[in-house]
Amino acid sequence: MEASLLKAFDALVKRRSSTRSEVLRDLARAEVTRADVASGSDAVATVTLVYDHHVRDLTERLIELQHSLGSKIRSSMHVHLDAAHCLEVIILQGPADELRDFAERVFATRGVKHGGIEVIAAAKSARDALHVHLHSHDHEHGHHHHDHDHDHGHVHEPPPAKKKRA
C-alpha cells in the first residue's frame, strides 16, 4: 500500500477510535454486501434526498415516481428543513437494479439538490414477513406547501405467534 493511502487510512482509523483490523473488517464486510447486491437480486434500500419544494410541480413528480414503484415503496419520511427545503427518506424493497433506477430518476428530477442511496441485500423470507399500514396526514403542524394528502407507509413486523395451550 502506498504511503499516502496508508496515512489516510490511519487517519480514518484514528477518527473512528478503532484499530486497523476493525476498520479493514468493516470495509471488507461493506464490499461483500455490495457484491451480494447484484443486478436483480432482492434488496432493501434507503433513498435520501433534499429538494426545493418551491420548484414548480416537483412534489407531484416525486409522488408520481414513488407511485410508479407501487408496493416496492415500503415507507417514507418527510421533514421540513427550512422555508424552502425538504428532506425525504424513502425505504424501498425489490430487485436491486430497479431500486437503483428509481433513485437515479429521482436524483435527476429538477429541484432535487442532493441525493443518495444505500442498498443492502435482503432475504426473501424477511420481505414476506413484513406488512404495511398506511395513513394520510396533513401539514398543519408546519408550513403548508402541498395541495394534496399523501400516504406514508409504516412498516411493522407481525406480532409473534401466540402459543397454543395443551
Side-chain angles (χ1 to χ4, degrees), residues 1-162:
M1 185 181 302
E2 63 262 16
S4 61
L5 180 57
L6 183 56
K7 184 178 178 181
F9 182 71
D10 283 339
L12 173 66
V13 169
K14 186 175 181 180
R15 276 193 310 273
R16 290 187 178 184
S17 300
S18 192
T19 65
R20 283 181 177 172
S21 292
E22 289 173 349
V23 173
L24 284 170
R25 188 171 36 252
D26 291 346
L27 293 171
R29 187 176 297 113
E31 188 58 31
V32 167
T33 298
R34 231 182 326 276
D36 283 349
V37 185
S39 181
S41 66
D42 196 35
V44 292
T46 57
V47 173
T48 305
L49 57 135
V50 174
Y51 62 91
D52 180 346
H53 75 83
H54 289 124
V55 172
R56 184 181 170 139
D57 299 325
L58 175 59
T59 303
E60 289 73 20
R61 285 194 305 270
L62 292 174
I63 289 171
E64 285 175 18
L65 283 168
Q66 289 184 49
H67 285 207
S68 73
L69 275 188
S71 65
K72 292 179 182 92
I73 301 285
R74 300 305 306 225
S75 184
S76 66
M77 179 179 67
H78 180 94
V79 177
H80 303 277
L81 297 177
D82 58 35
H85 296 95
C86 295
L87 168 82
E88 188 111 6
V89 179
I90 307 164
I91 301 171
L92 312 167
Q93 187 162 24
D97 51 346
E98 289 182 35
L99 306 183
R100 286 188 191 100
D101 289 346
F102 166 80
E104 290 303 319
R105 289 193 314 272
V106 168
F107 302 155
T109 304
R110 189 176 67 83
V112 173
K113 303 292 186 184
H114 303 284
I117 183 171
E118 184 70 30
V119 182
I120 301 168
K124 184 172 176 51
S125 61
R127 184 195 73 214
D128 294 341
L130 298 175
H131 66 278
V132 178
H133 298 278
L134 297 176
H135 71 278
S136 63
H137 70 280
D138 61 26
H139 289 261
E140 296 301 319
H141 303 300
H143 59 280
H144 183 78
H145 60 81
H146 301 280
D147 293 330
H148 60 276
D149 288 333
H150 55 278
D151 292 329
H152 295 270
H154 294 273
V155 179
H156 304 279
E157 292 192 30
K162 293 184 179 183

